[in-house]
Amino acid sequence: MPVETDANKLLANTAITHYDLDPNATTATEVAWVDMQDFGVFTASFFRTVGTSNLTLQVLANTAADGSGTDVVVKTKDLTNAQPNAVGDYTFIEVTAAEIAQAAADAGVEGARYVTVEATLATGTDEGVVTYVRSEPRFAHDGLTSDVIA
């Protein structure tokens, strides 16, 4: 049986991006706004790279691509008993398109299709990497996930 040498199964069915989280502050930081219009699930992870402080993590939705509209809290991660507070620790948060739509409708904000992770680090010098995975696309195709090299 021939071996497939140009497989693109995961990359054609998910949009994966990484973001450096270095806010130099202890206030809530919106990582990056992404469009969920053609996706069914949004998953994000936080990976600790510097520091040991506590983290607050939630997913927000908005009608504006840049988050300039009304923010709607879709889900908050309960980290009370399991803080990712050592380098190498990581945690995940996940919401569905149905959860996004319901939270927006409950808040009276129709059409909120953009989401972001909002992270708050208790110490301003702490850092991490946030990874977004948008999955269950309406149409799978090459290019949903691609290399980003500066």
Side-chain angles (χ1 to χ4, degrees), residues 88-122:
D89 285 358
Y90 53 90
T91 188
F92 295 91
I93 188 167
E94 181 174 87
V95 298
T96 65
E99 287 176 294
I100 296 165
Q102 186 64 57
D106 291 350
V109 181
E110 297 298 325
R113 69 180 218 211
Y114 301 96
V115 296
T116 189
V117 165
E118 183 181 73
T120 308
L121 294 164

Side-chain angles (χ1 to χ4, degrees), residues 46-52 83-92 127-129:
F46 169 83
F47 179 88
R48 171 80 60 175
T49 58
V50 174
T52 60
Q83 277 288 334
N85 56 10
V87 172
D89 285 358
Y90 53 90
T91 188
F92 295 91
E127 301 177 24
V129 174

Side-chain angles (χ1 to χ4, degrees), residues 57-89:
L57 195 66
Q58 59 185 7
V59 174
L60 304 178
N62 201 298
T63 56
D66 64 358
S68 62
T70 302
D71 286 345
V72 175
V73 176
V74 180
K75 185 180 282 185
T76 300
K77 175 82 177 206
D78 182 4
L79 296 166
T80 305
N81 297 316
Q83 277 288 334
N85 56 10
V87 172
D89 285 358

